Amino acid sequence: MKTKNKILSAVLALGMAVGMTSMQPVQSFAATDATPVKEIDKVVAKRDVTKKKFKTGEVVVPFKYDNLIFIHEDGVTKEVYIRIEVNGKHGYLDKQGKIIVNPDDYDSVSYFHDGFCQVGRDNKITYINKYGSEIVPLLYDDICQIVSKDLIWVKNGDKYGCVNKQGEEVIPLQYDNFKGFNEGLAAVKKDGKYGYINKKGEEVIPFQYGRAENFNEGLALVEIGGKVGYINKRGEVVIIAKYDPYVPVGNFYNGLAIVGLGRKYGVIDKNEMEIVPIKYDQVGIMENGFVRIEENKKVGFVDRSGREIVKPKYDYISDFSEGLAEVRIGEKYGYINKFGKMITPIKYDETRSLKNGLAYVRKNGKYGFIDKKGKEIIPLKYDYKEHDFEDYAQNIFLVSKQGKYGFINNRGKIVIPFKYDYALPFTEGLAVVYLNGKSGFINKKGKVIIPLMYDNALSFKGGRAEVELNGKWGVISR
């Protein structure tokens, strides 16, 4: 179906764009020492911030763009931006449709993350804030970390240092590498060795390490004589450097760190007690405190006491979600609980994590849902269930049957009939539906709220949605 293929391409492209948010340089915004956005935003050019209240379906951005517009939500601040493209260059409008960045202003424009967006011109990089103001002059090869409005890590050539918002050096550009500030200190490299400086640029721990990572939970991994151990913020060795430096060896998180000897790995605590013996081919700390273990290309997991809950026997184990983890043997999937007990047989062709007590599964080309007990609460009889971003808490699910799309509730009852040629899940109380080549929006009762008059439409985000009419893209209001 031409319409379905076109909108699927649009959804995939949008997913890639939103995904790129997390692809900003991690050190730019992830460090705990980063300054809140509002502090830096105090230093901005004055602009018209009058906010018009739009009616449902009212046009916010006129239909004049040839290429798909992206409604982009900052994953941290949740601010909404409208990304536009003109002659192959990108710019941004705010939620009111007012210009933030003209497409002609820069050669490259990335995506907003934590209130900032990377932009570039003539091979130089800076970041702009949500008003379009540059946080430092466009003079540097890279902007690496925004610590505060007067402490911004930059790179020129092969040297790193810090400048303030006027571009004045506050920490000289003299370092060969840096790991960003975290817990008040930054690991930096000079003359082939790593040491640590504070935010005044003062040397706190001497340059003596072959490798050094940021401090986390009061300790930092360092390499001495080809082996790694851990130091505190006074530079004192807390755990002797005796472990091999290979990945995935790293810093402490939630009181645990992965260590290795002779290409075998385990986990220690801050008292250097082996929580997981150093005997596995790979280990990984799971989100809930369990540790994934791998032996002979099979995986299992242990708990925080080191007790082996599941011996390595699966080809894959996911993180736990609402008490269950997905497991795979060969090409088939099932679910286990935190005690290693099988909740469903290993029989599904596809599974997903539990959300709001439900997970969708696929077998022999048909989709249905299971609950926390593994019961197939909605029979596997639907042809299509694709969208991972569907909000299960809304208790209304998009499925298809015999080529038509409709919606069911968590008991499998049909709440909106299977009559649409294509549809997208509900967001902000409305869902995109397609019928006879046109698209519009319905509410959860199936009532048409925005007429089916558009050639294409995407779901609402932050009160705005991208729509196409007569070959041109614009934005309408929720």
Side-chain angles (χ1 to χ4, degrees), residues 1 35 60 77 85 93 127 138 193 230 243 257 282 317 341 364 369 384:
M1 181 190 297
T35 294
V60 177
T77 68
E85 181 181 341
L93 311 176
Y127 277 80
L138 191 64
K193 294 292 184 180
Y230 297 85
Y243 300 105
Q282 287 288 341
I317 297 179
K341 180 182 177 182
N364 299 327
F369 290 80
Y384 179 79

Short mmCIF file of all heavy atoms in Angstrom, two decimals, residues 1 35 60 77 85 93 127 138 193 230 243 257 282 317 341 364 369 384:
data_model
loop_
_atom_site.label_atom_id
_atom_site.label_comp_id
_atom_site.label_asym_id
_atom_site.label_seq_id
_atom_site.Cartn_x
_atom_site.Cartn_y
_atom_site.Cartn_z
N MET A 1 0.85 -1.19 0.00
CA MET A 1 0.00 0.00 0.00
C MET A 1 0.88 1.24 0.00
O MET A 1 1.74 1.41 0.86
CB MET A 1 -0.89 0.01 1.26
CG MET A 1 -1.84 1.20 1.34
SD MET A 1 -2.63 1.27 2.96
CE MET A 1 -3.54 -0.26 2.94
N THR A 35 25.63 22.33 34.35
CA THR A 35 24.78 23.38 34.90
C THR A 35 23.35 23.25 34.39
O THR A 35 23.13 22.93 33.24
CB THR A 35 25.32 24.76 34.49
OG1 THR A 35 26.58 24.93 35.10
CG2 THR A 35 24.40 25.88 34.92
N VAL A 60 -0.29 25.73 12.66
CA VAL A 60 0.75 26.46 13.39
C VAL A 60 1.87 26.87 12.42
O VAL A 60 2.37 27.98 12.47
CB VAL A 60 1.33 25.61 14.54
CG1 VAL A 60 2.47 26.35 15.26
CG2 VAL A 60 0.23 25.23 15.53
N THR A 77 14.69 18.05 28.73
CA THR A 77 13.87 19.18 29.17
C THR A 77 12.42 19.05 28.76
O THR A 77 11.56 19.76 29.28
CB THR A 77 14.41 20.50 28.60
OG1 THR A 77 14.21 20.51 27.17
CG2 THR A 77 15.89 20.67 28.91
N GLU A 85 13.41 21.97 6.98
CA GLU A 85 14.46 21.81 5.97
C GLU A 85 14.15 22.68 4.76
O GLU A 85 13.04 22.64 4.23
CB GLU A 85 14.59 20.36 5.54
CG GLU A 85 15.70 20.13 4.50
CD GLU A 85 15.81 18.68 4.06
OE1 GLU A 85 15.30 17.80 4.78
OE2 GLU A 85 16.39 18.44 2.99
N LEU A 93 12.02 25.99 14.35
CA LEU A 93 10.98 26.90 14.83
C LEU A 93 10.64 26.51 16.25
O LEU A 93 10.85 25.36 16.66
CB LEU A 93 9.72 26.80 13.96
CG LEU A 93 9.89 26.88 12.44
CD1 LEU A 93 8.54 26.66 11.77
CD2 LEU A 93 10.50 28.20 12.03
N TYR A 127 27.35 25.49 20.30
CA TYR A 127 26.00 25.07 20.68
C TYR A 127 25.14 26.31 20.83
O TYR A 127 25.61 27.37 21.25
CB TYR A 127 26.01 24.30 22.01
CG TYR A 127 26.35 22.84 21.86
CD1 TYR A 127 27.66 22.43 21.71
CD2 TYR A 127 25.35 21.87 21.85
CE1 TYR A 127 27.98 21.09 21.56
CE2 TYR A 127 25.66 20.53 21.71
CZ TYR A 127 26.97 20.14 21.56
OH TYR A 127 27.28 18.82 21.41
N LEU A 138 31.61 31.01 17.63
CA LEU A 138 31.81 29.92 16.68
C LEU A 138 33.27 29.90 16.22
O LEU A 138 33.61 30.31 15.11
CB LEU A 138 30.88 30.10 15.48
CG LEU A 138 30.74 28.95 14.49
CD1 LEU A 138 30.12 27.74 15.17
CD2 LEU A 138 29.88 29.37 13.31
N LYS A 193 50.52 11.21 29.95
CA LYS A 193 50.01 10.68 31.22
C LYS A 193 48.73 11.40 31.62
O LYS A 193 48.53 12.57 31.30
CB LYS A 193 51.06 10.84 32.33
CG LYS A 193 52.31 10.01 32.14
CD LYS A 193 52.02 8.52 32.29
CE LYS A 193 53.30 7.69 32.19
NZ LYS A 193 53.04 6.24 32.33
N TYR A 230 41.78 1.28 41.60
CA TYR A 230 40.88 2.39 41.89
C TYR A 230 41.49 3.32 42.93
O TYR A 230 42.12 2.85 43.90
CB TYR A 230 39.52 1.88 42.36
CG TYR A 230 38.82 1.07 41.29
CD1 TYR A 230 39.09 -0.29 41.14
CD2 TYR A 230 37.95 1.67 40.40
CE1 TYR A 230 38.47 -1.03 40.15
CE2 TYR A 230 37.32 0.93 39.40
CZ TYR A 230 37.60 -0.42 39.28
OH TYR A 230 36.99 -1.14 38.28
N TYR A 243 44.28 -5.65 38.13
CA TYR A 243 43.34 -6.22 37.17
C TYR A 243 43.72 -5.84 35.74
O TYR A 243 44.37 -4.82 35.49
CB TYR A 243 41.92 -5.75 37.47
CG TYR A 243 41.45 -6.15 38.85
CD1 TYR A 243 41.37 -5.22 39.88
CD2 TYR A 243 41.10 -7.47 39.12
CE1 TYR A 243 40.95 -5.59 41.16
CE2 TYR A 243 40.68 -7.85 40.39
CZ TYR A 243 40.60 -6.90 41.40
OH TYR A 243 40.18 -7.28 42.65
N ALA A 257 31.68 -3.02 40.43
CA ALA A 257 32.53 -2.75 39.27
C ALA A 257 32.94 -4.07 38.63
O ALA A 257 33.19 -5.07 39.32
CB ALA A 257 33.77 -1.95 39.67
N GLN A 282 32.32 -13.22 29.91
CA GLN A 282 31.82 -11.83 29.93
C GLN A 282 30.86 -11.69 31.10
O GLN A 282 30.22 -12.66 31.51
CB GLN A 282 31.08 -11.46 28.63
CG GLN A 282 31.96 -11.26 27.41
CD GLN A 282 32.77 -9.97 27.49
OE1 GLN A 282 32.44 -9.07 28.24
NE2 GLN A 282 33.83 -9.89 26.71
N ILE A 317 19.47 -12.98 27.35
CA ILE A 317 18.62 -12.59 28.47
C ILE A 317 18.52 -11.07 28.45
O ILE A 317 19.53 -10.37 28.44
CB ILE A 317 19.17 -13.04 29.84
CG1 ILE A 317 19.23 -14.56 29.93
CG2 ILE A 317 18.30 -12.49 30.97
CD1 ILE A 317 19.80 -15.07 31.26
N LYS A 341 12.61 -18.93 37.30
CA LYS A 341 11.51 -19.83 36.94
C LYS A 341 10.92 -19.45 35.58
O LYS A 341 10.71 -18.28 35.30
CB LYS A 341 10.42 -19.77 38.01
CG LYS A 341 9.23 -20.66 37.73
CD LYS A 341 8.16 -20.52 38.82
CE LYS A 341 6.94 -21.38 38.49
NZ LYS A 341 5.87 -21.20 39.51
N ASN A 364 3.97 -17.67 14.81
CA ASN A 364 3.40 -18.07 13.52
C ASN A 364 2.71 -16.90 12.81
O ASN A 364 1.63 -17.06 12.22
CB ASN A 364 2.42 -19.23 13.70
CG ASN A 364 3.09 -20.47 14.28
OD1 ASN A 364 4.26 -20.72 14.01
ND2 ASN A 364 2.35 -21.23 15.07
N PHE A 369 -1.25 -10.75 23.41
CA PHE A 369 -0.63 -10.18 24.62
C PHE A 369 -0.64 -11.21 25.73
O PHE A 369 -1.59 -11.99 25.88
CB PHE A 369 -1.42 -8.95 25.09
CG PHE A 369 -1.29 -7.76 24.19
CD1 PHE A 369 -2.05 -7.66 23.02
CD2 PHE A 369 -0.42 -6.73 24.50
CE1 PHE A 369 -1.93 -6.57 22.19
CE2 PHE A 369 -0.30 -5.62 23.67
CZ PHE A 369 -1.06 -5.54 22.51
N TYR A 384 -0.89 -7.69 12.92
CA TYR A 384 0.09 -6.60 12.95
C TYR A 384 0.12 -5.94 14.31
O TYR A 384 -0.93 -5.69 14.91
CB TYR A 384 -0.31 -5.57 11.88
CG TYR A 384 0.59 -4.36 11.79
CD1 TYR A 384 1.80 -4.43 11.13
CD2 TYR A 384 0.22 -3.14 12.35
CE1 TYR A 384 2.63 -3.32 11.02
CE2 TYR A 384 1.03 -2.03 12.25
CZ TYR A 384 2.24 -2.12 11.58
OH TYR A 384 3.04 -1.02 11.48
#
